[in-house]
Amino acid sequence: MGPKSERVYRTIREWISTGKYLPGSKIPSERTLSDELGIGRTALRQVLAKLVAEGAIEVHGRSSYRVPDRSVTTQAPGDVEPWQIHGERTLYDNRWVKLSLVDVEPPGVDRFEHHVVKLHHVAIAAVIDDQDRVLMMWRYRFVPQSFGWELPGGIVDAGEGPLQTALREVEEETGWRPDSLEHVVTYQPMVGMVDSPHDIFVGTGAKLVGEPTDLEEAGHIAWVPLSDIPGLMARGELMGSGTLVALLHVLSSRSAGTSPTTAA
């Protein structure tokens, strides 16, 4: 964008951040903004498109915009019933994976046996430095037979909390010790068949305390600029759902102008 577009972009962002346009409210029409801010409609639309991409505004109707109301939460419907579970039998079980057939009965549907895979509880960490870079590893994964960037993380050991796991895994896999980490979300990566809770942590700052001790996991270690993440994502070079969830959280928090560790 040119200097005039940058000025208009900063002006609209300032209007939103200072409360001139409150969450949930519509902003003026393109014609009004064009006249008030002294910018052509084509350039204005480029500014508005950038603000939409950053989440600062959202399209409302055909050609109007409003400030997102992030305080509004969707109420869970009360008329949806859970499935009934009548039993379970184990087909395979070892220290890494358990495969079962569960006798289930969805509402209004005949009973049937559903395959369920139980994996370990996992913790993953995104550590950001003061130059807006994230600590990552370039690794080869033999299952998909491909290279890619990953965040450090691993299995939550018995008697260990997810936070302790995240701190330990960062240090073991990279040699960097995070200053602190905060939990931002817990999710299931394949909720239809696989049970494997993933805890995502984000923190800022770390100090180098030595070489990685987990040589199998480490790979090539680098501080990757956050500005490179969209390109890596587009090229399919980000490996694993945990890496994607954590980095999307960081990027969306920054677009919204909030700290990635307090936006959850």
Side-chain angles (χ1 to χ4, degrees), residues 6 23 34 41 59 63 71 103 118 126 129 161 164 179 187 196 223 238:
E6 285 289 345
S34 178
R41 296 282 285 274
V59 179
S63 59
S71 65
D103 182 1
K118 293 184 181 291
D129 70 2
Q164 286 68 40
D179 294 342
Y187 78 101
S196 177
W223 289 93
L238 297 181

Side-chain angles (χ1 to χ4, degrees), residues 107-121:
V109 179
D110 292 338
R111 289 169 59 172
F112 66 95
E113 286 192 311
H114 192 295
H115 283 86
V116 174
V117 179
K118 293 184 181 291
L119 303 177
H120 287 283
H121 188 174

Side-chain angles (χ1 to χ4, degrees), residues 7-195:
R7 174 183 59 79
V8 170
Y9 166 79
R10 290 194 299 270
T11 298
I12 297 176
R13 287 220 66 135
E14 182 179 356
W15 287 348
I16 295 171
S17 64
T18 58
K20 179 176 180 178
Y21 297 110
L22 298 173
S25 65
K26 292 178 63 175
I27 66 173
S29 66
E30 290 182 3
R31 176 177 296 178
T32 301
L33 288 173
S34 178
D35 293 341
E36 184 176 350
L37 297 172
I39 187 173
R41 296 282 285 274
T42 299
L44 174 63
R45 285 172 182 151
Q46 294 177 347
V47 172
L48 295 173
K50 180 177 181 180
L51 291 167
V52 169
E54 294 175 345
I57 61 175
E58 59 188 14
V59 179
H60 181 58
R62 184 175 179 181
S63 59
S64 61
Y65 303 86
R66 68 180 177 189
V67 180
D69 188 354
R70 305 185 192 282
S71 65
V72 175
T73 58
T74 301
Q75 297 296 319
D79 58 349
V80 180
E81 299 178 10
W83 292 17
Q84 293 187 48
I85 299 176
H86 298 285
E88 178 179 339
R89 57 192 178 98
T90 300
L91 301 180
Y92 178 80
D93 190 10
N94 71 5
R95 61 175 295 198
W96 300 109
V97 59
K98 178 180 179 181
L99 173 62
S100 303
L101 275 174
V102 182
D103 182 1
V104 297
E105 184 179 0
V109 179
D110 292 338
R111 289 169 59 172
F112 66 95
E113 286 192 311
H114 192 295
H115 283 86
V116 174
V117 179
K118 293 184 181 291
L119 303 177
H120 287 283
H121 188 174
V122 173
I124 297 166
V127 180
I128 315 298
D129 70 2
D130 58 3
Q131 299 179 55
D132 277 349
R133 302 178 302 177
V134 59
L135 183 61
M136 301 192 75
M137 303 173 295
W138 176 259
R139 301 182 57 189
Y140 179 76
R141 289 292 191 179
F142 82 92
V143 175
Q145 299 183 29
S146 60
F147 286 92
W149 290 101
E150 290 186 23
L151 296 174
I155 293 171
V156 178
D157 290 340
E160 184 178 54
L163 173 59
Q164 286 68 40
T165 298
L167 291 165
R168 172 178 57 77
E169 290 287 348
V170 173
E171 186 170 336
E172 289 179 356
E173 294 182 353
T174 70
W176 289 82
R177 180 176 297 163
D179 294 342
S180 64
L181 293 174
E182 293 187 26
H183 179 265
V184 296
V185 69
T186 301
Y187 78 101
Q188 292 274 5
M190 296 179 64
V191 70
M193 185 177 291
V194 178
D195 179 20

